[in-house]
Amino acid sequence: MSAKKDKILQVALERFANDGYNATATSKIAKQAGVSEGLIFRHFKNKKGLLNAIMLAAESKLNQVFAPVLFETNPAQVLRMTIELPYQIDDSDFDFWKLQYKLKWQTEYQNPQKMQPIIDKLTWAFQSLDYSDPKLEAELLVVLMDGIALGIMRDGRIHYEQHLDFLFKKYKL
């Protein structure tokens, strides 16, 4: 990928994450990236094509983040690793994750199945650890971690450190 194309994707991710997709004009992206608007259209056809390119990269990033949890064979470690996920978000990835949260509200990009492999793995872990309602526990933990991740991006890690310890104690980890 060319340096200019990378810069366009980087700026678009930042603008879409912070200003919203609908509020971001391709002319604004072009100006900030130091390229012509025509170059954006040549590489991505239109603004939707630009967002689709970012979302394609998102699928790869999600797979990388979730892979260690999905391949873990110790049920207690599956819980621990899942709980730790939001605390491992690198500050440089905040725009990426903010955009994922913003797009959850857009029907076209909403994909509830995206989290299904994690829910299935957590259900297995809770079942292996003899929890009475493993599927509900799995769904609850995913919702909790989703909220904590959003809070970390909004308020910073320091505000959520106590939640990490609380969850480790709650699940006896």
Side-chain angles (χ1 to χ4, degrees):
M1 191 178 304
S2 74
K4 287 184 180 183
K5 191 173 181 181
D6 281 343
K7 183 68 174 175
I8 293 167
L9 287 168
Q10 176 190 354
V11 169
L13 173 61
E14 179 185 337
R15 296 283 41 100
F16 292 161
N18 291 296
D19 302 335
Y21 172 76
N22 291 328
T24 302
T26 52
S27 59
K28 190 175 185 179
I29 294 168
K31 183 176 181 180
Q32 188 176 338
V35 299
S36 70
E37 193 173 16
L39 187 62
I40 292 174
F41 297 134
R42 184 163 15 127
H43 282 300
F44 303 102
K45 304 284 187 239
N46 52 38
K47 187 166 86 167
K48 187 173 186 237
L50 181 54
L51 180 59
N52 287 339
I54 292 169
M55 294 308 295
L56 187 62
E59 291 297 321
S60 176
K61 187 177 273 295
L62 284 173
N63 290 338
Q64 289 173 350
V65 168
F66 293 150
V69 175
L70 297 175
F71 289 111
E72 179 57 51
T73 58
N74 179 322
Q77 191 63 12
V78 167
L79 299 183
R80 176 176 280 284
M81 291 169 74
T82 301
I83 291 167
E84 290 173 337
L85 281 175
Y87 297 90
Q88 297 171 348
I89 299 171
D90 192 83
D91 292 354
S92 66
D93 285 335
F94 276 16
D95 283 341
F96 168 81
W97 292 108
K98 280 198 284 190
L99 180 60
Q100 301 312 303
Y101 280 97
K102 283 185 182 216
L103 292 176
K104 282 184 178 191
W105 294 97
Q106 308 223 359
T107 308
E108 186 176 348
Y109 289 97
Q110 183 186 33
N111 182 2
Q113 291 303 106
K114 192 184 309 187
M115 294 303 291
Q116 197 57 51
I118 289 290
I119 292 171
D120 291 344
K121 187 66 174 198
L122 286 168
T123 300
W124 166 83
F126 282 120
Q127 189 172 31
S128 299
L129 296 168
D130 293 324
Y131 278 73
S132 62
D133 197 337
K135 184 164 178 24
L136 206 52
E137 286 284 356
E139 291 170 350
L140 177 62
L141 185 55
V142 166
V143 168
L144 284 171
M145 302 323 302
D146 201 37
I148 288 172
L150 187 58
I152 287 172
M153 286 183 287
R154 185 188 58 231
D155 305 323
R157 282 179 189 80
I158 193 82
H159 299 284
Y160 293 89
E161 291 296 325
Q162 64 187 0
H163 294 86
L164 183 64
D165 293 333
F166 174 80
L167 289 169
F168 284 161
K169 287 176 189 167
K170 175 182 174 30
Y171 293 113
K172 297 173 180 69
L173 300 173

